[in-house]
Amino acid sequence: MGVRGLQSFMRDNRSTLSRSVVLDRDNKEPVPVVVDAWGIIYRLYLDSLPWTTGGEYLAFYRLARRLVLAWRSVGLKPIFVFDGASPATKHETLLGRLQSNVATCRLFYTTSPASRSSPSFARQSALLPPFASHAFVCALESLGAETRFVPAGEADGVCVALAAAWQAYVIGQDSDFAILVNGADGARGYCPIDQMTWIEGGDGEHADLDAPDGRLDGWETAAASKKPTRQRQSTLLPLHQLRRPRLVLLAYPPSGLRDRLRLPAALVPLLASLVGNDHIPAYASSLFFEAHLSPGARVEKAARVMREQVGLAAGKSRGEQAADYVARVVGRLASRHAFVSAAFKQQLVDAIIEATFAYALPPDVGYCCARYPFCGALDRDAGACRSSPGDGGASDEDRARAAFAAAQRRGAVAAVVSVYLNPDRIYIWSVLEDPSGPAHKASPLNREIRATAYSYIEHALGGLRWAGHREGTDGLEVDVEADREDAEDRALRKLLGADEKDVASEASSATASHDGNGDGDAAADDSRTILEYIRQGSSDRIAEYAVRLPPVPATTPPCLLPLPARLELYLAALRSATPAILALDAQLHPLVAAVRACVLSASARAEAHRWRRAEVAAVLRAGLGALAAWAHDPRASECRAAAAAAADDDAAVELTQRAADIVAQLAAALADAHVLAQALLLVDTGDGEPLTHGAPWVFVSGLAIHALIAGKTPGSSTWRWGEKEEATYAALEAAFWDGSDEGAVVGAAGVVTEKKKSKKKGGSKGGAPKQAQGGRFAALNGMH
């Protein structure tokens, strides 16, 4: 979400709307901040790392740790909030983003290798690597940072509600926060990410924490380094040469915008809808505002018209008064267009009222029970938790819901939540693939992997929230449309400040009327069909693809089976459940299975698209070396020397079309395998040791894959290789070819002969467990 032009208006008027907040290591009291995680992820990754390589997750993990540590050093106490499953109102916006991603891929593959290998290539339309957010969560977990994962909808409202409860600032890059904090006077203000600055503190006494103006008296800006460097540095991180770093935030307090525009707090969300946001069609701006008006002038005009039209019509209900007010404002703004029909204006009024509802803060940001969000609380607009205090959770469904809920609070099963809440809207995001070729995630095997995952999720949770038939209390069907209309009517009357108690009372009555809706049969919907939105064939078109689920078996849900059984189900879905692969250390399963899936999918295409013997070896070596770097100590390179080494790695590799497509195939296979791992709850071993099935990014370094395919040795910052890795690779290669069709890979016959020799010489040396020191994946060190 975002209000069109509001960010520019705020920046132009920051001297009157904002104040500086100065933080350094001398601050005695921690300063709580609620952070919109996705805004930080995009900014930190794309400012610091090359997106064109396909993913540098260990480097990003280290950057994320450095960011949190830097913030903590100046007194910030952050809680990171993540978006959940997208609401239906964002459907068209998300389809547009899917289409935009395809255009970015086309730009990449139609540009020369030298140009696209540049760190600055197409940064304004960059495609964030698929596991960036997961690596970020991994870094937060390693530092014990507080997180909150919103199951449904965007994180904006939850961020502001938490900030109001904790008297915290909100950090993000979305002008909607300026609207939302307006209704949360407990919040201390909104701090845009792009207006955060690290400076060198002076020797004098430092200024107040909440300085009333924007002046930074007594400080000096850090001098730029005189020595040229290829290293990219995000402004979110302090420069290494700062001796006494201070962080300056520009905070916009809750009352700032409404005082500047002289509007009551209840009308500020309506202003955002009139100016334009993601829920309002773009043509509304051409009706309301002259083309020559600047963004700031448009905000001023909308506010002026709203002030002129304030006044409630007598003899009408609160809801009618609010609708009448919006209609008068819309009519006044569109008055210069004499031929706009009344019916069209009414459609616009309805759209604006609907868009205004998006700014309502959630009434509760806690968890109603141990099974939330799979307890029924999100099943419909007037949803209710179906867990009871005395419920021991003895059934398989209850145990599965509780297990998934616990994993959701760690951010480990986002795909499961999305499938459960929105089975009619599953967005299959593109990897960095060539649009002139087939969509890798649309291959028969990839679709089969996802379909298996969907069926496991439905089995475990006792059903999904199918469109038009959402599960209600006691298994009754619910009139979803009636619920929606009731909620809209209450929200409409609340728009102009209706009594909160009246609105809450009516909401309770509506809930009670549905919960006591007599007896009835829980008739199952006949069309248990998942709808995916995915690029089709070799075109740019995003199309709907239906996945019909098989009947649910009357057996134990797969996610509750013992770990060995779940590991075998995982490999079977990826067509890799061979004796040799099953005998490998389980932590290596995702790598070998994903590469086999890539090879099998490519074997159905022309020979020019099939994998080569050397490519298989390069990707297996790249994955094993990346895992070794994680297992050694993922914190070891939080220093200048390693950052410089990463920059050198960046500049050393040319991104060829074939290698880029290999990276894309691997990313697609690992992403779909990750959905399957979530469905099987392959997150950890049960005793705290993480499984790579739930963290497949540990096998990916795009730079390493490009380098090895080109016959070069990758840089040492995110890839390690030694005798232990060489011995493990021999067993890994032998297992890969066990039971494989030699015709699937060009030149594979020679490998089969070699793999028998390798297995005889060193295959038994790769599995001796050994304790290691280091980060979250240090326990994996023993398999090398």
Side-chain angles (χ1 to χ4, degrees), residues 135-369:
F136 189 81
V137 172
C138 184
L140 299 181
E141 186 178 288
S142 73
L143 292 170
E146 192 167 355
T147 54
R148 181 68 62 92
F149 298 90
V150 179
E154 295 183 328
D156 299 7
V158 175
C159 286
V160 175
L162 288 172
W166 296 347
Q167 295 186 327
Y169 293 101
V170 178
I171 293 179
Q173 193 59 54
D174 193 331
S175 54
D176 278 328
F177 284 120
I179 304 299
L180 290 164
V181 297
N182 159 81
D185 288 333
R188 299 176 69 176
Y190 160 51
C191 303
I193 293 173
D194 63 353
Q195 297 179 42
M196 299 171 63
T197 308
W198 286 95
I199 65 170
E200 181 70 78
D203 296 330
E205 183 177 350
H206 101 98
D208 285 341
L209 185 62
D210 288 333
D213 55 36
R215 294 175 298 170
L216 306 177
D217 296 335
W219 304 335
E220 57 186 76
T221 303
S225 173
K226 296 181 180 179
K227 185 181 293 185
T229 176
R230 289 174 297 200
Q231 184 182 351
R232 293 159 59 182
Q233 170 76 54
S234 172
T235 56
L236 290 173
L237 298 170
L239 295 174
H240 289 295
Q241 58 262 41
L242 293 180
R243 294 167 299 175
R244 186 182 175 83
R246 286 179 175 174
L247 178 61
V248 182
L249 308 178
L250 210 59
Y252 295 81
S255 61
L257 189 61
R258 65 178 184 246
D259 290 347
R260 170 68 173 77
L261 298 173
R262 291 176 291 155
L263 288 174
L267 291 184
V268 174
L270 176 60
L271 171 79
S273 299
L274 291 169
V275 174
N277 56 28
D278 288 352
H279 302 280
I280 296 297
Y283 63 75
S285 294
S286 63
L287 288 176
F288 293 164
F289 308 109
E290 295 82 353
H292 68 274
L293 290 181
S294 66
R298 296 185 179 201
V299 173
E300 295 278 13
K301 178 180 178 179
R304 185 183 69 252
V305 172
M306 291 175 66
R307 291 194 301 269
E308 293 171 352
Q309 299 301 319
V310 169
L312 302 178
K316 293 184 178 181
S317 69
R318 279 285 191 179
E320 290 173 332
Q321 290 171 353
D324 179 70
Y325 174 73
V326 176
R328 294 201 313 270
V329 172
V330 169
R332 181 69 182 87
L333 286 171
S335 60
R336 62 193 181 91
H337 296 276
F339 300 104
V340 177
S341 68
F344 183 80
K345 285 184 180 179
Q346 187 56 50
Q347 291 178 358
L348 200 53
V349 168
D350 294 341
I352 288 171
I353 291 174
E354 182 75 23
T356 305
F357 295 157
Y359 295 103
L361 294 180
D364 184 14
V365 293
Y367 303 114
C368 57
C369 68

Side-chain angles (χ1 to χ4, degrees), residues 560-645:
L560 298 180
L561 295 174
L563 180 59
R566 285 182 282 144
L567 292 173
E568 187 165 356
L569 286 175
Y570 174 90
L571 290 174
L574 274 72
R575 301 184 187 176
S576 294
T578 66
I581 293 178
L582 285 167
L584 285 174
D585 189 306
Q587 301 287 20
L588 298 175
H589 288 172
L591 174 61
V592 66
V595 178
R596 280 172 63 103
C598 292
V599 169
L600 286 173
S601 294
S603 68
R605 300 160 62 186
E607 182 173 318
H609 296 286
R610 294 181 183 178
W611 281 48
R612 272 55 178 170
R613 164 186 171 179
E615 293 169 345
V616 173
V619 175
L620 289 176
R621 286 180 177 273
L624 191 58
L627 178 64
W630 278 88
H632 175 255
D633 186 351
R635 296 167 295 182
S637 291
E638 293 170 356
C639 60
R640 304 179 194 183

Side-chain angles (χ1 to χ4, degrees), residues 743-778:
V745 174
V746 177
V751 177
V752 174
T753 303
E754 291 177 10
K755 69 100 179 178
K756 290 180 179 178
K757 296 178 181 178
S758 298
K759 185 174 182 180
K760 183 177 180 180
K761 289 182 179 180
S764 61
K765 297 181 181 179
K770 191 173 182 179
Q771 201 65 24
Q773 296 179 353
R776 182 172 184 259
F777 288 89

Side-chain angles (χ1 to χ4, degrees), residues 11 504 508 584:
R11 188 180 294 108
S508 300
L584 285 174

Side-chain angles (χ1 to χ4, degrees), residues 1 90 92-102 127 154 278 429:
M1 292 175 66
K90 298 280 287 185
E92 294 302 324
T93 299
L94 291 173
L95 290 182
R97 290 176 185 171
L98 286 171
Q99 200 71 61
S100 176
N101 285 356
V102 176
L127 190 66
E154 295 183 328
D278 288 352
W429 295 95

